[in-house]
Amino acid sequence: MINTNFWLFLAAACLIAAVPGPGIFYVAARTLSEGRASGFASTAGTALGGLVHVIAGSLGISAIILASAELFAAVKFVGALYLVWLGIRTFRNAGRALSFDSEPIGDKQAFRDGVLVEALNPKTAAFFLAFIPQFLDPAGPNPTLQFIMLGAISVTLNTLADIVVVLMAFATRTQLIGRPQLMRRLTQGSGVFIAGLGLSLALARRPVNG
């Protein structure tokens, strides 16, 4: 698979990873509101959720969901409601005392939230199904394995971008931690933004060719 198609894929995947998307905004909001550990846990969760889409896409499950208006709507609205609930929870918890140290159970919850947020986003499934097949080598063996390998590389690049965002968001949080009132407002804003991502997902349309 180390051919022209692969290098074109790698260049395109790097550019896509560098462009801010819902995943980047989500982990940034979690980091600003809950700290670095929560941000990294959310990043690990979204990475695993992305791999779920890669596997589902390689097995044809994503294509079935995208081809069915009912299934697409069901997955979309469950994911949207979950994001809105996370946003409301973040907003309501903004008044709690802020600390650099997150509770271990909170990090576990952040990981689970990241997995569900990404896995329940049918737009991610649509992206992988539209993007990866363009770079498969028709002369190469096992298209399913090719899909999984390219998908895993794409998820890895996206995760690296998310890690950079977590570090930047945590640096911002560190500068504001001594200003509790402003930090509270920032955390509330993060909650509103996460809920906004949910509303945006709820308005997403099924791809015409899905």
Side-chain angles (χ1 to χ4, degrees):
M1 287 183 56
I2 306 300
N3 53 23
T4 303
N5 274 1
F6 175 79
W7 295 116
L8 287 174
F9 162 80
L10 192 60
C14 286
L15 288 175
I16 291 171
V19 175
I24 283 180
F25 289 127
Y26 172 72
V27 299
R30 290 301 293 259
T31 304
L32 288 171
S33 63
E34 300 172 31
R36 180 171 54 189
S38 182
F40 283 143
S42 297
T43 297
T46 55
L48 182 56
L51 290 176
V52 168
H53 284 294
V54 171
I55 300 299
S58 69
L59 297 177
I61 298 173
S62 294
I64 294 174
I65 293 175
L66 293 175
S68 168
E70 293 77 12
L71 286 175
F72 180 86
V75 174
K76 178 183 72 171
F77 283 116
V78 170
L81 286 173
Y82 195 74
L83 271 171
V84 170
W85 176 76
L86 287 179
I88 293 173
R89 187 183 69 184
T90 300
F91 185 92
R92 293 180 61 183
N93 290 345
R96 293 183 178 179
L98 297 170
S99 170
F100 285 103
D101 299 319
S102 300
E103 295 292 334
I105 190 173
D107 298 339
K108 292 178 182 178
Q109 182 65 54
F111 173 77
R112 289 193 294 267
D113 289 344
V115 174
L116 291 174
V117 163
E118 190 70 10
L120 292 174
N121 187 351
K123 293 169 65 177
T124 303
F127 166 76
F128 280 123
L129 288 181
F131 178 64
I132 295 178
Q134 301 180 56
F135 302 97
L136 298 181
D137 183 3
N142 202 332
T144 298
L145 182 58
Q146 290 186 50
F147 190 102
I148 293 174
M149 290 177 62
L150 294 182
I153 291 172
S154 181
V155 170
T156 299
L157 292 172
N158 292 338
T159 301
L160 291 175
D162 288 348
I163 290 173
V164 173
V165 169
V166 168
L167 294 175
M168 293 174 63
F170 181 71
T172 300
R173 188 177 191 272
T174 301
Q175 295 176 353
L176 298 177
I177 200 71
R179 304 169 68 180
Q181 194 65 23
L182 180 58
M183 194 62 216
R184 181 172 180 269
R185 295 298 182 189
L186 183 61
T187 302
Q188 290 176 331
S190 297
V192 172
F193 191 83
I194 293 173
L197 290 177
L199 295 177
S200 175
L201 177 58
L203 297 174
R205 294 184 177 182
R206 185 169 61 97
V208 176
N209 59 343

